[in-house]
Amino acid sequence: MRAATLLPVPATARAGSMGQVAWKGLFLSLFDYKTEKYVIAKSKKVGILYRVVQLSILAYLVGWVFIVKKGYQDTDTSLQSSVITKLKGVAFTNTSELGERLWDVADYVIPPQGENVFFVMTNLIVTPNQRQATCPESDRIPDALCYKDGDCMAGEAVVAGNGVKTGRCLKDRDNIRGTCEILAWCPVEKRSKPKKPLLASAENFTVYIKNSVRFPKFKFSKMNVLATNESYLKSCRYSTEHPYCPIFLLGSIVQWAGSDFQEMASEGGVIGIQIEWNCDLDKAASECNPHYSFSRLDNKFAEKPISSGYNFRFAKYYRDAEGIDYRTLIKAYGIRFDVMVNGKAGKFNIIPTIINIGSGLALMGAGAFFCDLVLLYLIKKSNFYRGKKYEEVKSSSRKSLSSPTLNGNQSPDQVGGL
């Protein structure tokens, strides 16, 4: 009987067979389930540290994220607001320029429309009966000083002055130096103002601030005035006991801003009135209340203010029987009030709740990572724990791969056989 002859398998056939085995193994591995291997480290220090980290993250998540910051709510900061202001009060003055005069809101409130920025005049310099003519410029303006006519170039505007030079230098009889003659509204404005505020009684004037707000995302609207009778608003004043009475004494507003009204009325200044709406719409609408705060906004508290106070000029024009135009120039000092409104509203929404819970769970994982670093690198027995956590498997030959070893990957039958 003829013996069978074994022919060598071609290299291409062996390569193809190995390729099929590799692809088959890769396909079958898709249905494998892998699980992590946990090492329980009997270290009290690391265990206590891990629990402290967990409790800290849990306290942060519950206390700060959900209770303080209300991380379970969707928020709306696109506040829509309108402000209407009305002032009340009268004052009486008696001056050489104006004589006896009664001042009401039409005289001292600028602008009269009642917007979120309004100005209350408390002091003024009045220059009456000005007309366009030639007159000497003020000697307090450096560019107007002269010694001869050549120092006053005709047609040249006086720097920081009141008019245009005519080319003449006007001097008193015994003075060497004079001032340039100008074409302007004459006589020019005086440079001194009353030492005491002319409208000192403005401290007792009242302002009614009506504020309406709307949060468009939640379609929620509210006002800082309750639906009540008119007699209440005529007699009430704002206080902590009456938060829905938006009628304020001007003197109280300046005092709450940390300033003295009489001192501020003399030079002028700027006061900010802040209305804050922070509404939790998971509660009743009555819990959404305005909160007021007051601050001074000008540079009064600067170390070296260049130009303290607040003032501006305006004029009232008239024409006499001969058709000549006149005006009364008023340099007004006073307090400007800026009413600023902001706020936000929040309401429960499942999406930010899930996002914040997921962030908290991720922080828990970061805590475990931190404790792993301590366990594996910072304590004395770190080498021992590192050897237990990471298992190193080396393969030097095909024989070693086929030999059963206790590497944690044997089947139960292999372990039993060993």
Side-chain angles (χ1 to χ4, degrees):
M1 190 172 180
R2 183 180 297 177
T5 304
L6 297 177
L7 299 176
V9 180
T12 56
R14 288 199 305 269
S17 177
M18 292 180 64
Q20 292 178 357
V21 172
W23 281 107
K24 182 178 180 181
L26 178 63
F27 175 75
L28 293 177
S29 67
L30 296 176
F31 302 97
D32 293 343
Y33 172 73
K34 299 180 179 64
T35 184
E36 295 181 357
K37 177 181 178 181
Y38 290 94
V39 177
I40 300 176
K42 299 293 184 179
S43 174
K44 291 183 179 180
K45 293 181 180 179
V46 179
I48 293 173
L49 176 63
Y50 183 53
R51 298 307 174 195
V52 169
V53 171
Q54 280 185 321
L55 290 175
S56 300
I57 294 174
L58 186 62
Y60 163 77
L61 183 65
V62 175
W64 178 257
V65 175
F66 283 103
I67 295 179
V68 177
K69 291 298 183 179
K70 293 181 173 60
Y72 55 87
Q73 290 184 335
D74 188 13
T75 59
D76 184 8
T77 57
S78 58
L79 177 69
Q80 298 174 351
S81 171
S82 68
V83 176
I84 299 174
T85 57
K86 293 182 180 180
L87 280 96
K88 296 288 186 180
V90 294
F92 176 79
T93 60
N94 188 0
T95 62
S96 59
E97 294 88 356
L98 299 174
E100 294 183 351
R101 181 165 181 175
L102 185 71
W103 298 80
D104 61 11
V105 291
D107 298 315
Y108 60 77
V109 177
I110 303 170
Q113 289 88 351
E115 300 175 353
N116 59 338
V117 176
F118 60 94
F119 173 83
V120 178
M121 185 167 57
T122 56
N123 206 1
L124 67 157
I125 300 174
V126 179
T127 309
N129 302 324
Q130 283 187 323
R131 55 173 292 185
Q132 290 197 5
T134 57
C135 56
E137 178 61 282
S138 172
D139 58 0
R140 297 185 181 182
I141 298 177
D143 190 49
L145 300 178
C146 61
Y147 294 92
K148 58 183 184 301
D149 291 344
D151 297 333
C152 302
M153 186 176 296
E156 183 182 71
V158 180
V159 178
N162 297 288
V164 177
K165 299 175 184 178
T166 63
R168 296 178 59 195
C169 181
L170 305 179
K171 304 177 185 177
D172 291 337
R173 294 179 180 178
D174 299 330
N175 290 339
I176 301 176
R177 189 176 66 177
T179 57
C180 293
E181 183 186 60
I182 59 172
L183 174 63
W185 286 93
C186 298
V188 297
E189 178 187 77
K190 296 187 299 183
R191 291 287 176 175
S192 60
K193 69 176 185 299
K195 295 182 179 179
K196 293 183 179 180
L198 194 64
L199 299 179
S201 60
E203 186 174 7
N204 299 316
F205 294 173
T206 60
V207 57
Y208 167 59
I209 303 175
K210 181 181 177 181
N211 179 217
S212 302
V213 295
R214 180 176 182 270
F215 295 98
K217 181 183 288 188
F218 304 120
K219 298 180 180 179
F220 177 81
S221 302
K222 196 167 184 183
M223 293 176 56
N224 66 336
V225 183
L226 294 178
T228 182
N229 53 33
E230 294 183 2
S231 60
Y232 171 73
L233 292 177
K234 290 181 179 180
S235 60
C236 71
R237 295 291 181 271
Y238 171 80
S239 66
T240 54
E241 291 80 14
H242 299 279
Y244 277 92
C245 176
I247 299 177
F248 303 85
L249 283 171
L250 298 187
S252 298
I253 293 176
V254 175
Q255 181 183 358
W256 292 331
S259 297
D260 179 76
F261 185 89
Q262 297 301 323
E263 178 184 351
M264 193 174 185
S266 179
E267 294 286 343
V270 184
I271 294 290
I273 302 174
Q274 185 80 35
I275 305 178
E276 188 85 19
W277 294 85
N278 290 321
C279 299
D280 186 352
L281 300 185
D282 293 327
K283 300 178 181 179
S286 59
E287 298 294 325
C288 177
N289 299 317
H291 298 277
Y292 300 89
S293 60
F294 311 90
S295 59
R296 186 162 182 178
L297 304 180
D298 61 326
N299 61 352
K300 169 65 178 177
F301 301 112
E303 293 183 0
K304 294 181 179 179
I306 298 174
S307 179
S308 61
Y310 183 80
N311 63 79
F312 61 92
R313 294 173 177 85
F314 67 96
K316 296 183 179 181
Y317 297 87
Y318 58 93
R319 180 175 295 174
D320 66 2
E322 298 178 358
I324 300 175
D325 292 328
Y326 289 86
R327 77 176 187 181
T328 297
L329 179 65
I330 298 175
K331 183 177 182 181
Y333 295 81
I335 304 174
R336 194 184 79 183
F337 295 88
D338 294 0
V339 183
M340 299 165 285
V341 183
N342 57 39
K344 66 177 181 178
K347 194 174 185 179
F348 175 77
N349 193 302
I350 191 62
I351 294 178
T353 304
I354 293 175
I355 292 175
N356 284 308
I357 291 176
S359 300
L361 295 177
L363 283 176
M364 290 289 187
F369 176 75
F370 172 72
C371 292
D372 277 351
L373 293 179
V374 174
L375 181 70
L376 301 178
Y377 298 102
L378 300 180
I379 64 176
K380 293 182 179 179
K381 297 182 180 181
S382 59
N383 292 330
F384 172 75
Y385 288 115
R386 196 158 54 246
K388 291 294 184 181
K389 182 173 177 64
Y390 300 107
E391 185 175 355
E392 205 173 297
V393 179
K394 297 181 179 180
S395 176
S396 58
S397 65
R398 183 176 300 178
K399 182 177 180 180
S400 63
L401 288 173
S402 61
S403 300
T405 56
L406 291 175
N407 57 7
N409 296 323
Q410 289 78 18
S411 65
D413 296 337
Q414 289 175 320
V415 175
L418 292 173

